[in-house]
């Protein structure tokens, strides 16, 4: 059931991004070669940064209580966004072996990492960043999807 819904989401987005101009074949091949390395580097940096961010936000949470109701509400969304971005970074690390072997499973991990990244941006209140990130991220992902089997 979940796999069917997941496939439907991916297929719907793929149909939308197929209409975009294609990157030349040599550019796509270069992207496929560097994608695993970008995933592992930014995944590890994201995990370290996410853990630090969650730790710092948690450490200062008692101070947020003194800032009033508005401060607590925005502070809470910051912690939730940090957890979401941490999960997104973990998915990038999980994607590395599959991306390196050019398996569709690795591509799927990277896709869901991008989805979580967008959700994190929305939760943090960065709607413009979420839209721009979604357009660029999904465009690049769907340009290289055919290289993964």
């Amino acid at each position: 059931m979940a796999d069917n819904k997941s496939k439907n989401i991916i297929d719907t987005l793929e149909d939308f991004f197929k209409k975009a101009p294609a990157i030349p074949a040599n550019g796509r091949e270069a992207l496929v070669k560097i994608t695993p390395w970008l995933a592992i580097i930014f995944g590890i940096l994201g995990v370290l940064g996410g853990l630090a961010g969650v730790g710092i936000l948690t450490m200062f949470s008692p101070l947020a209580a003194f800032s009033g109701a508005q401060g607590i509400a925005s502070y809470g969304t910051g912690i939730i966004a940090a957890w979401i971005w941490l999960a997104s970074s973990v998915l990038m690390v999980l994607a590395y072996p599959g991306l390196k072997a050019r398996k569709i499973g690795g591509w799927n991990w990277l896709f869901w990492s991008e989805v979580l990244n967008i959700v994190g941006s929305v939760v943090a209140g960065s709607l413009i960043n979420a839209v721009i990130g979604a357009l660029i991220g999904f465009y690049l992902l769907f340009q290289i999807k055919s290289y993964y089997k």
Side-chain angles (χ1 to χ4, degrees):
M1 179 81 172
D3 287 334
N4 240 0
K5 286 184 181 180
S6 171
K7 185 167 175 20
N8 288 343
I9 292 169
I10 292 171
D11 289 344
T12 302
L13 285 172
E14 187 172 14
D15 289 342
F16 176 77
F17 283 98
K18 273 184 183 175
K19 298 172 186 167
I23 297 173
N26 59 348
R28 287 192 311 261
E29 185 65 39
L31 274 173
V32 169
K33 287 180 182 176
I34 65 169
T35 297
W37 299 107
L38 292 174
I40 194 70
I41 291 167
F42 287 109
I44 290 171
L45 290 174
V47 167
L48 295 174
L51 288 173
V54 168
I56 289 170
L57 288 171
T58 303
M59 183 176 75
F60 288 116
S61 63
L63 296 175
F66 294 114
S67 65
Q70 178 61 33
I72 291 173
S74 63
Y75 199 82
T77 57
I79 290 175
I80 293 168
W83 279 107
I84 292 170
W85 287 325
L86 178 61
S88 173
S89 298
V90 169
L91 292 181
M92 273 197 242
V93 172
L94 291 173
Y96 173 77
L99 293 172
K100 189 89 170 111
R102 293 194 182 189
K103 296 189 181 221
I104 194 68
W107 185 92
N108 285 331
W109 284 117
L110 199 57
F111 174 84
W112 290 110
S113 171
E114 180 64 23
V115 169
L116 280 180
N117 195 19
I118 293 162
V119 170
S121 292
V122 170
V123 168
S126 302
L127 297 178
I128 293 173
N129 288 347
V131 170
I132 293 171
L135 290 174
I136 293 170
F138 287 139
Y139 172 73
L140 293 173
L141 274 174
F142 286 110
Q143 287 292 307
I144 62 173
K145 184 180 180 211
S146 63
Y147 287 84
Y148 298 93
K149 303 294 175 201

